[in-house]
Amino acid sequence: MQTESEAKPLVPPSVHGIANNIRLTGWIAFWVQLTLAVVSGLVLLFVSTGREFSSQPNAGLGVGIFWAVCGVLILLFSVYLNFRYTRLGKRLDNPNPSLHPSKADTIATIRLGIIVGLVGMLLSLLGAGSTLGVLVAKSISQPPGVAITDPYKIIRAMDVFVEVANVNGIAAHFLGTVASLWLLERVNQH
């Protein structure tokens, strides 16, 4: 009588190792990026609803918010790609070799993750730069001392929250790009 491990063909150890790396890296990047995307999204939601209630218009931050929203949308696609990595690793660990993705398909998916991460970092950097420009302009336009004559030149908490959302986006995209680069290196070594 054959045991279950003798009955079905085993995955070669090198393929099993690569599959585990892809799956584990995909899950770690998925959860970290999803967490940062939710935080950035909630901060942006708070900022956009707070802008509606504010009597002080702040046109300069609109550009930063726009780029932050674009960065979060790209981040959500990156989260999807990380989930796709987990499925790719699972398919690669299947004992049936006909279900394994080809090396070219695996590399193409990982390269797409790198490109998405770089584009997301660029968008988030544009948002962070424009928001930082507004914050610096507001801070240097305030006269020294306690009295502020123009209430539109006050740096509000909502102004800083836009920067927080952009920095979270940069961190999340950086993590996703590093994870994809590491996976590409591991797959190319195989």
Side-chain angles (χ1 to χ4, degrees):
M1 182 177 211
Q2 290 182 335
T3 63
E4 187 178 319
S5 62
E6 293 171 353
K8 55 183 195 180
L10 296 174
V11 176
S14 62
V15 175
H16 178 70
I18 296 279
N20 279 341
N21 281 333
I22 292 173
R23 191 170 48 243
L24 181 64
T25 304
W27 278 122
I28 291 170
F30 172 83
W31 286 110
V32 172
Q33 281 193 320
L34 182 63
T35 302
L36 290 171
V38 167
V39 168
S40 293
L42 289 175
V43 166
L44 288 172
L45 185 64
F46 175 71
V47 167
S48 3
T49 56
R51 284 183 69 178
E52 299 297 323
F53 295 119
S54 176
S55 61
Q56 299 173 356
N58 198 350
L61 283 179
V63 175
I65 293 171
F66 170 76
W67 290 119
V69 168
C70 290
V72 168
L73 292 176
I74 296 293
L75 183 55
L76 291 174
F77 183 67
S78 184
V79 168
Y80 161 73
L81 283 176
N82 287 318
F83 181 74
R84 194 166 163 199
Y85 291 164
T86 66
R87 303 299 92 198
L88 202 63
K90 187 174 182 178
R91 282 181 46 210
L92 205 58
D93 209 18
N94 193 317
N96 185 355
S98 65
L99 297 177
H100 291 186
S102 69
K103 186 174 182 178
D105 289 343
T106 304
I107 288 174
T109 302
I110 293 171
R111 282 188 179 156
L112 178 62
I114 293 169
I115 291 168
V116 167
L118 291 173
V119 168
M121 267 195 285
L122 174 67
L123 296 177
S124 296
L125 281 169
L126 288 171
S130 62
T131 304
L132 188 60
V134 170
L135 292 175
V136 168
K138 280 184 167 188
S139 69
I140 63 174
S141 68
Q142 293 178 3
V146 187
I148 297 177
T149 57
D150 188 1
Y152 298 115
K153 294 180 183 175
I154 297 173
I155 296 176
R156 299 174 300 164
M158 284 193 308
D159 302 342
V160 178
F161 284 156
V162 176
E163 190 68 24
V164 168
N166 280 304
V167 170
N168 277 343
I170 293 168
H173 287 297
F174 177 76
L175 173 92
T177 304
V178 168
S180 295
L181 285 169
W182 187 77
L183 285 177
L184 184 63
E185 178 65 25
R186 296 293 299 155
V187 169
N188 279 333
Q189 284 179 358
H190 175 62

